[in-house]
Amino acid sequence: MANQRIQERKKRDMNVVSTQRNGEEVIHRNPVDVVIMAAGKGTRMKSKLPKVLHQLAGRALLQHVVDTAGELMARKVVVITGHGAIEVEAALAVNTGARAEFALQCVRQDPQLGTGHAVQQAVPALDDDGIVVVLSGDVPLTQSTTLMHLIAACAGKSLALLTLEMPNPAGYGRIVRAGGTRDGAVQAIVEHKDASDAQRQITEIYSGIMAVPAAQLKRWLARLDNKNAQSEYYLTDIVKFAVADGVPVVGHKIADAVQVAGVNSPVQLAELERAYQLRQAHRLMEEGVRLADPARIDVRGDLLCAHDVSIDVNCVFMGQVSLGEGVSIGANCVIANAVIEAGAVIHPFTHIDGEKMGVTVGPGALIGPFARLRPGARLGAEVHIGNFVEVKNSTLAAGAKANHLAYLGDATVGERVNYGAGSITANYDGANKHRTVIEADVHVGSNCVLVAPVTIGAGGTVGGGSTITKSTEPGALSVARGRQISIAHWERPRKAPKS
Ligand code: UD1
Ligand code: MG
């Protein structure tokens, strides 16, 4: 994998991009620069959040597009911002910023006078030797292989348009071909509002995605006007300039509408989320994962599964999660940023969130139902964590058990420790956190408070109900509670008889 990446980088550095077409490698020699239009308003989202920052599968719509640009080995990515520019630019800086393998630049478009006007703003940032791929920040699910094919169709000398047949093409730009045939040369894109009745019968639409040689693009952009039904500068008007200049225009048609679907409303956002999740589910099943119901799993990040993993209904995976061989996940679990090792069983309704520190669950461990593992929980082999047990920033060695209603925070727990129901580590003194060390083979009874910093020596026993404030010797029984007294023949108070 890493090797492949290095190879790909080398190709990019040599200004060579290769793609597979019909099983053959296609080489094209222009660097790729991506322009992402993201200045539009998104009125129909009815939200304060700029449209392109709404989340799909745990990532902003725009982030999906930027990540796809990364997969294209883009040299430069120029994002056109407008509505909500400050928020959009800040989100990009945090999520991509200096980590990107490409130069990322934001350019403001204010006011927004159309898609042609949007791309005009990018012109000073574009070098003449590139192929420019134009994408939209609200079209999140385009696959990089599709774009590679489009780039190959452009090949630095043609204008390549990504198109689609749509049974109901209302609202879209139509691909007008010579002679009105399906395979005639592309002559123009006509926007729905400008189209004649005859043109509105055309079902081949422009997806909003193109690949175009930068030098030509710049020349054509300079010639745009806004004499049309919407008084906008249409990017799509460059098609007729290409035709006039004798530059070949290639329509690259795909069948998969999800890849070019935009998000304009919460309904469309939810539809694309479902489409994306169903694809993830099918990918997992193809890798051998057994899903109780492919329609009831959500993966908002990367889920890596070894063989013989099974996942019951209504589970959500977030961030980076890996599941080892034979892992079983019960219904209704939420698991984020965690490594679950081979043979572990996560019972229903368990919540695991490693956040930045991560969580590891050792081989053969049994977790839940209703368990909560928080950042820094490191559980060894065969550890048992039962219902209503919370573990945070604690290491539990092999075979340790906390089966009921307990809290382990900032603790180091040895092998085979048995931690009783209702016991807690009092790790916080109101100002600072302190560690509790419970050495191997300790038995902590029920309802104990271990006031940190404190160490329970190996093999020791803590009597139920104890509040332990001083470290204990190995092998000792420690009891720290009021001694039981019993008064024989105790007479309870009685109510006075009614007069
Ligand atoms: C555009 C195409 C149309 C195509 C359709 C596919 C034009 C003129 N028309 O139509 O042929 O079928 O996409 O969805 O290009 N944007 C800006 N600045 C602007 C205007 C738009 O950044 O001034 C951004 C929007 O935020 C959006 C993208 O460009 O991300 C496309 O704009 P949108 O208004 O959705 O395109 P349409 O007019 O629907
Ligand atoms: Mg528009």
Side-chain angles (χ1 to χ4, degrees):
M1 196 62 198
N3 208 0
Q4 193 189 341
R5 251 191 123 70
I6 291 164
Q7 286 297 328
E8 280 169 350
R9 271 206 83 104
K10 266 193 194 154
K11 282 181 187 166
R12 185 184 65 174
D13 293 344
M14 295 185 309
N15 286 353
V16 173
V17 179
S18 77
T19 56
Q20 294 286 324
R21 203 156 45 157
N22 301 332
E24 276 174 38
E25 198 177 45
V26 181
I27 304 280
H28 34 97
R29 291 178 183 280
N30 298 77
V32 170
D33 296 316
V34 174
V35 174
I36 304 175
M37 299 182 291
K41 190 157 187 202
T43 317
R44 282 195 277 152
M45 290 304 289
K46 298 186 178 153
S47 167
K48 273 190 205 144
L49 190 67
K51 176 167 78 171
V52 293
L53 295 187
H54 281 267
Q55 303 252 314
L56 185 142
R59 259 184 302 161
L61 296 174
L62 178 57
Q63 194 62 43
H64 281 267
V65 184
V66 170
D67 291 346
T68 305
E71 289 169 27
L72 294 179
M73 303 289 139
R75 171 176 65 180
K76 186 179 252 187
V77 174
V78 184
V79 180
I80 313 297
T81 59
H83 280 284
I86 292 172
E87 272 176 88
V88 172
E89 288 163 13
L92 279 173
V94 170
N95 292 320
T96 305
R99 285 196 304 280
E101 291 186 334
F102 45 78
L104 179 71
Q105 194 178 335
C106 293
V107 177
R108 297 267 176 102
Q109 183 201 16
D110 189 17
Q112 290 88 37
L113 303 178
T115 51
H117 181 251
V119 179
Q120 278 172 351
Q121 313 310 306
V123 164
L126 297 173
D127 288 323
D128 284 349
D129 62 337
I131 291 178
V132 176
V133 176
V134 178
L135 304 172
S136 294
D138 56 359
V139 178
L141 298 185
T142 319
Q143 282 164 21
S144 55
T145 48
T146 302
L147 297 175
M148 295 271 198
H149 288 145
L150 193 70
I151 292 163
C154 164
K157 53 187 195 305
S158 304
L159 168 56
L161 308 170
L162 192 65
T163 77
L164 192 83
E165 288 290 340
M166 276 212 170
N168 178 12
Y172 290 96
R174 307 299 209 283
I175 304 290
V176 178
R177 290 180 180 268
T181 59
R182 278 177 177 265
D183 45 10
V186 176
Q187 290 178 318
I189 298 174
V190 179
E191 292 305 305
H192 182 87
K193 286 185 179 149
D194 300 286
S196 63
D197 285 345
Q199 286 167 332
R200 287 186 181 178
Q201 301 306 309
I202 298 172
T203 51
E204 186 183 6
I205 62 105
Y206 170 54
S207 66
I209 294 172
M210 63 169 67
V212 49
Q216 261 111 333
L217 172 67
K218 289 182 183 182
R219 280 211 311 274
W220 297 330
L221 285 172
R223 290 159 63 182
L224 292 179
D225 63 42
N226 64 350
K227 295 188 192 112
N228 51 54
Q230 303 184 79
S231 300
E232 284 184 8
Y233 294 87
Y234 290 164
L235 177 61
T236 44
D237 279 350
I238 71 167
V239 175
K240 61 186 186 217
F241 300 143
V243 172
D245 288 356
V247 172
V249 181
V250 188
H252 180 74
K253 203 188 285 183
I254 60 166
D256 180 9
V258 165
Q259 288 197 45
V260 299
V263 172
N264 296 298
S265 66
V267 169
Q268 288 170 343
L269 181 60
E271 281 168 1
L272 279 197
E273 177 82 41
R274 285 306 102 208
Y276 177 90
Q277 294 301 346
L278 208 53
R279 279 172 194 210
Q280 299 257 92
H282 281 266
R283 178 183 62 74
L284 288 167
M285 291 188 294
E286 274 153 25
E287 288 167 8
V289 177
R290 289 188 297 278
L291 299 180
D293 183 354
R296 283 185 288 171
I297 175 172
D298 281 64
V299 181
R300 303 174 191 155
D302 296 318
L303 175 60
L304 209 76
C305 294
H307 283 169
D308 288 311
V309 165
S310 68
I311 302 173
D312 208 334
V313 297
N314 292 334
C315 292
V316 181
F317 298 90
M318 298 187 284
Q320 308 290 317
V321 175
S322 91
L323 305 179
E325 193 172 324
V327 163
S328 159
I329 309 288
N332 301 300
C333 290
V334 176
I335 302 182
N337 297 311
V339 175
I340 316 284
E341 293 185 51
V345 176
I346 313 295
H347 289 295
F349 296 98
T350 291
H351 186 227
I352 300 178
D353 189 357
E355 292 176 25
K356 288 199 175 94
M357 292 173 86
V359 163
T360 44
V361 174
L366 302 181
I367 312 297
F370 297 101
R372 180 169 185 214
L373 304 182
R374 292 175 50 206
R378 311 256 171 251
L379 314 185
E382 314 279 338
V383 163
H384 292 187
I385 298 295
N387 41 215
F388 310 108
V389 175
E390 174 181 348
V391 182
K392 184 219 77 170
N393 190 29
S394 294
T395 304
L396 278 72
K401 294 186 173 77
N403 271 326
H404 328 267
L405 302 160
Y407 176 59
L408 281 161
D410 303 307
T412 304
V413 179
E415 294 183 348
R416 297 172 299 277
V417 163
N418 197 309
Y419 192 74
S423 291
I424 67 156
T425 54
N427 54 332
Y428 184 51
D429 61 14
N432 297 301
K433 300 268 170 74
H434 302 281
R435 271 199 101 70
T436 301
V437 178
I438 306 172
E439 291 179 351
D441 299 301
V442 162
H443 184 103
V444 177
S446 295
N447 219 29
C448 294
V449 182
L450 309 181
V451 182
V454 73
T455 296
I456 311 298
T461 302
V462 178
S466 294
T467 296
I468 300 292
T469 56
K470 295 190 291 261
S471 293
T472 67
E473 288 303 310
L477 165 66
S478 306
V479 182
R481 63 180 185 233
R483 190 176 278 276
Q484 179 171 328
I485 56 166
S486 295
I487 299 173
H489 312 301
W490 174 253
E491 289 264 342
R492 283 196 294 271
R494 288 181 196 190
K495 271 194 175 151
K498 277 187 187 141
S499 53

